[in-house]
Amino acid sequence: MINIIKEKIIKENYRITKEEALALFNYPLEELAKAANEIRLACAPKTTSVCSIISARQGKCGENCKYCAQSVHWKTSCTSHPMIKPEDAIPQCKKAIENRVSRLSLVTSGVGLKGREFDQALECYKKIIRETDGKLLLCASHGIISYEQMVQLKEAGVVRYHHNVETSKNYFSKICTTHTYQDRIETIKNAKKAGLEICSGGIIGMGETIEDRIDLAMTIRNLEVQSVPVNILNPIPGTPLENIEKISKEEALKTIAVFRFIMPSQFIRCAAGRKSLGENGRDAFLSGANALISGDFLTVEGSTNKEDLEMLEELGLEIEKF
């Protein structure tokens, strides 16, 4: 079955069904990963994409996402800081360029960035472009914002908007109740309408079922996004999910492989939790992944650019240039 579906995807641009995706999880990882990697080689971009993020505003978030250390609803060790100033962001951007990062995103806490802080973000993007001679592709991650704000981001030089779906429609209310699944979908549609590319994925290991993960991937496929970050939950003390059992390496890699079957041509981007797979997440790239976020994440430690670049080169992956 694996090889039949693989060949149909490669040769006929076949869109796998939910039932077929669920069945794939029953096969050995070795077979599944091999086929997923062959699909990547045949259908996905030949280059790999390296991006980094800057925590542009942190903490004091009024949303109650159960996985997040930044929520005011939970007692965690997360510190807070106000909206970043351009003079603080630009050195980080220049360092990213030195480390061969091609994409960089400012990420802010809260349900959505508005008013004066949104204006500050726009000015920050404009200054980054000027000060770096346009050597970075800029992404933005500012929560649930309007179509008009998306247009302003594009005019400021942003090319891609990041907004995760996070999980399936059916499971979402078990993770967050202060905004809806549909709020997230509409935000992505607003970004697309404004002409922005989309980066949207989710978190696995939050207690969801395999079917939930398949539903998440199917939703993302239907939204026709360019980049799909896959986060593996790192349970954070003080959050409601602090004691949840971590998923196994095999389950995580199977999930990435099946995501490649569902989304043959997208950048499937290893994000938070990659290091839990061992060897810097190398096996994820042999299971269908073809991009990564390099450096630290919002509230958890990531990997260094140096070790990421060395791994990608050892795997024979060419890093996209801009």
Side-chain angles (χ1 to χ4, degrees):
M1 175 184 165
I2 288 179
N3 287 327
I4 291 172
I5 293 176
K6 178 196 73 178
E7 291 301 316
K8 287 173 70 177
I9 290 171
I10 293 173
K11 296 178 180 179
E12 304 172 25
N13 197 27
Y14 178 68
R15 286 167 67 91
I16 189 173
T17 67
K18 178 178 176 178
E19 290 70 26
E20 288 170 329
L22 285 167
L24 287 174
F25 270 94
N26 295 320
Y27 286 83
L29 173 60
E30 184 177 353
E31 292 180 40
L32 195 58
K34 181 176 182 295
N37 196 42
E38 290 173 3
I39 292 171
R40 175 188 68 81
L41 291 169
C43 303
K46 303 307 178 187
T47 56
T48 185
S49 171
V50 179
C51 72
S52 287
I53 62 175
I54 293 176
S55 180
R57 187 184 74 181
Q58 183 168 290
K60 296 183 179 179
C61 179
E63 303 306 287
N64 67 354
C65 303
K66 291 183 178 179
Y67 54 82
C68 187
Q70 300 194 61
S71 172
V72 296
H73 295 266
W74 326 129
K75 293 182 179 180
T76 71
S77 61
C78 178
T79 58
S80 62
H81 64 71
M83 190 66 197
I84 197 169
K85 295 178 181 179
E87 55 265 32
D88 294 323
I90 288 168
Q92 296 183 59
C93 295
K94 290 181 176 180
K95 182 179 179 182
I97 293 170
E98 292 174 2
N99 289 327
R100 298 171 67 190
V101 169
S102 55
R103 296 178 181 271
L104 186 137
S105 179
L106 299 184
V107 183
T108 53
S109 61
V111 66
L113 200 62
K114 296 183 174 76
R116 181 172 176 272
E117 288 185 314
F118 183 73
D119 292 337
Q120 286 179 290
L122 294 176
E123 187 59 29
C124 201
Y125 289 121
K126 293 173 185 176
K127 288 187 176 180
I128 288 171
I129 290 173
R130 289 199 299 268
E131 293 292 327
T132 61
D133 298 320
K135 292 180 180 178
L136 277 174
L137 291 169
L138 294 181
C139 306
S141 183
H142 302 312
I144 298 169
I145 61 175
S146 68
Y147 164 71
E148 289 75 19
Q149 288 175 292
M150 297 292 187
V151 171
Q152 288 179 282
L153 287 172
K154 184 172 175 58
E155 291 173 346
V158 173
V159 297
R160 180 176 288 178
Y161 197 73
H162 167 258
H163 194 65
N164 283 342
V165 178
E166 300 299 17
T167 188
S168 71
K169 181 178 181 179
N170 287 336
Y171 196 66
F172 188 85
S173 62
K174 294 180 176 63
I175 296 299
C176 178
T177 59
T178 46
H179 62 269
T180 69
Y181 174 87
Q182 194 59 35
D183 289 333
R184 289 183 175 260
I185 299 298
E186 291 303 318
T187 299
I188 293 168
K189 289 181 177 179
N190 281 336
K192 291 185 68 174
K193 183 181 175 182
L196 292 168
E197 295 178 357
I198 304 298
C199 178
S200 182
I203 306 172
I204 62 174
M206 297 191 293
E208 76 286 347
T209 65
I210 298 299
E211 184 174 3
D212 286 317
R213 291 182 206 158
I214 299 302
D215 286 342
L216 165 65
M218 293 288 182
T219 295
I220 294 169
R221 179 178 73 179
N222 292 339
L223 288 167
E224 299 180 330
V225 311
Q226 286 78 23
S227 171
V228 186
V230 179
N231 299 274
I232 303 167
L233 181 70
N234 178 30
I236 297 173
T239 65
L241 299 182
E242 65 177 333
N243 295 316
I244 198 164
E245 184 178 353
K246 292 183 179 181
I247 64 172
S248 67
K249 174 181 176 179
E250 179 176 344
E251 188 175 341
L253 292 175
K254 277 191 173 185
T255 300
I256 291 169
V258 173
F259 273 31
R260 176 56 69 193
F261 273 81
I262 296 171
M263 296 172 285
S265 61
Q266 275 88 341
F267 280 108
I268 295 180
R269 190 176 302 276
C270 294
R274 168 163 56 97
K275 295 189 79 170
S276 68
L277 300 176
E279 295 187 312
N280 203 26
R282 181 185 301 269
D283 286 346
F285 286 86
L286 301 175
S287 303
N290 63 332
L292 54 76
I293 297 178
S294 188
D296 288 339
F297 298 92
L298 297 178
T299 58
V300 295
E301 182 184 356
S303 56
T304 67
N305 293 97
K306 184 177 183 294
E307 63 182 326
D308 287 343
L309 294 175
E310 289 175 351
M311 177 184 71
L312 294 174
E313 289 173 352
E314 287 172 7
L315 289 167
L317 293 164
E318 182 183 352
I319 299 167
E320 78 173 345
K321 298 177 182 178
F322 173 61

